[in-house]
Amino acid sequence: KLQFLYLIGVDGGGRDTGPAQYTMLSFLLMLFGCAAVLLLACWRARKELDAEASGRGGAAPEDLVFVDSRAALAMPVLASVGLVAMYLVGTLFWGVVAAYSVVSLYTVPFVMRPRGGSGRWVDCPRLTAAALVLVWLWTGHWVVHDVLVACLVATMLCLVRVDNLRSAALLLAGLAAYDVFWVFFSKRVVGEGVMVSVATAHAGRLHTPGALLFPIDAKGTMQLLGAGDLAFPGIAIVTLLRYDFFHNANFDYTAAALAGWLLGMTVCNFALDVTHASQPALIYLAPGTLLPPLVAAWWRGDAAKVFWGWEERGGDEGGTLLAAMDV
């Protein structure tokens, strides 16, 4: 039994969650699980930064995906095309499962092993990845499912970079509008909730890849948390992590963004419980992620650097982050 909580919201008829105490425990499980995924991504991104700063490697330019303002504005359109394609062609579910399985053979070793490790195909991280994929395909267990999604999110946040926080803000604003349309208005266009249909697709034990699963009750009811609502705010968080790495040893802006994301998630859950209606989560998570670090930066006089770009290395050894995007 599935109820879609995060990108879409609680199922329109409400939730069968058992006693109130267990409902709170299930919410805390989801909240701490999401926090663990974001912290894993930050930890892995920090290892990349350490490798880059020490000259020991880090991500090669050809492995990185750079997102500027124009690409950020185009993302909601591309996401809508992909969503509609999956809605219209139901057989794409198995194509997504196959692609997700193959991608996991890269993302799990990426998270487990720093760059510069063994280049052999047969090694512990890759064997672990293969075992996890096989267990997921065979059992569909939610814990294995979530481990694979967590590795996917962490890898994405290491390899996708924006030129400044402005581009991250544009990306989040556009995707929040995307959320609002496909959650609230798609029924008026096609007669049913497109995102609900796609997000809750499943076959046997397998559920939609790209969404975290959390149990609500002992009956097997699951709440789904879209990975995009971790990954896209996570792009802003990791961008602030890069700033903190070079200019703020206390990592205050990163901590503020993480705390804001958790606050936004809490407010989103509160709105779901009050309205018993679907909620586009990014309208809560985007301001929650961006406003606390921007207010802190304004208070310290760093707002222009944080928002528009900054120097990652001083002197003649490097340039601005924006210049680095041209590598």
Side-chain angles (χ1 to χ4, degrees), residues 40-310:
L40 171 69
C42 288
W43 168 80
R44 192 60 185 86
R46 174 63 187 270
K47 292 180 77 68
E48 287 289 310
L49 288 171
D50 286 336
E52 292 175 16
S54 64
R56 291 184 288 105
E62 60 270 18
D63 292 337
L64 300 176
V65 177
F66 297 113
V67 178
D68 58 12
S69 299
R70 288 175 295 180
L73 291 173
M75 187 64 69
V77 177
L78 298 176
S80 296
V81 171
L83 184 69
V84 171
M86 291 188 65
Y87 173 74
L88 295 177
V89 187
T91 54
L92 281 181
F93 176 82
W94 289 109
V96 172
V97 168
Y100 182 64
S101 301
V102 173
V103 168
S104 295
L105 297 177
Y106 172 78
T107 58
V108 174
F110 181 91
V111 173
M112 290 181 63
R113 183 184 60 225
R115 286 182 176 271
S118 171
R120 297 174 300 159
W121 175 249
V122 180
D123 56 21
C124 183
R126 286 177 176 140
L127 287 176
T128 302
L132 287 172
V133 169
L134 289 175
V135 170
W136 175 65
L137 291 172
W138 182 259
T139 68
H141 197 280
W142 68 271
V143 173
V144 182
H145 180 107
D146 287 357
V147 169
L148 296 178
V149 173
C151 291
L152 176 67
V153 171
T155 303
M156 175 182 172
L157 295 185
C158 287
L159 300 182
V160 176
R161 296 185 184 176
V162 295
D163 49 7
N164 49 41
L165 197 61
R166 172 176 173 268
S167 294
L170 289 173
L171 177 67
L172 287 174
L175 289 170
Y178 158 90
D179 256 6
V180 170
F181 176 80
W182 290 109
V183 170
F184 288 144
F185 300 109
S186 62
K187 288 185 179 181
R188 301 181 184 180
V189 178
V190 299
E192 67 173 320
V194 173
M195 195 177 288
V196 174
S197 177
V198 171
T200 57
H202 64 284
R205 299 185 182 92
L206 294 180
H207 300 297
T208 302
L212 292 165
L213 299 173
F214 298 98
I216 291 180
D217 56 30
K219 301 175 183 178
T221 304
M222 292 285 177
Q223 56 189 5
L224 276 68
L225 177 71
D229 291 308
L230 284 167
F232 294 119
I235 290 174
I237 293 171
V238 172
T239 301
L240 290 165
L241 178 71
R242 295 184 69 84
Y243 177 87
D244 283 340
F245 182 82
F246 291 103
H247 295 281
N248 182 15
N250 293 325
F251 289 87
D252 297 336
Y253 297 142
T254 306
L258 286 168
W261 188 95
L262 293 173
L263 177 62
M265 186 66 249
T266 303
V267 173
C268 180
N269 188 80
F270 177 76
L272 293 171
D273 286 337
V274 170
T275 65
H276 298 287
S278 301
Q279 298 292 318
L282 279 177
I283 66 173
Y284 305 96
L285 298 179
T289 302
L290 293 171
L291 288 179
L294 285 175
V295 170
W298 172 79
W299 182 261
R300 295 180 175 183
D302 293 337
K305 285 195 299 182
V306 170
F307 195 70
W308 292 103
W310 57 86

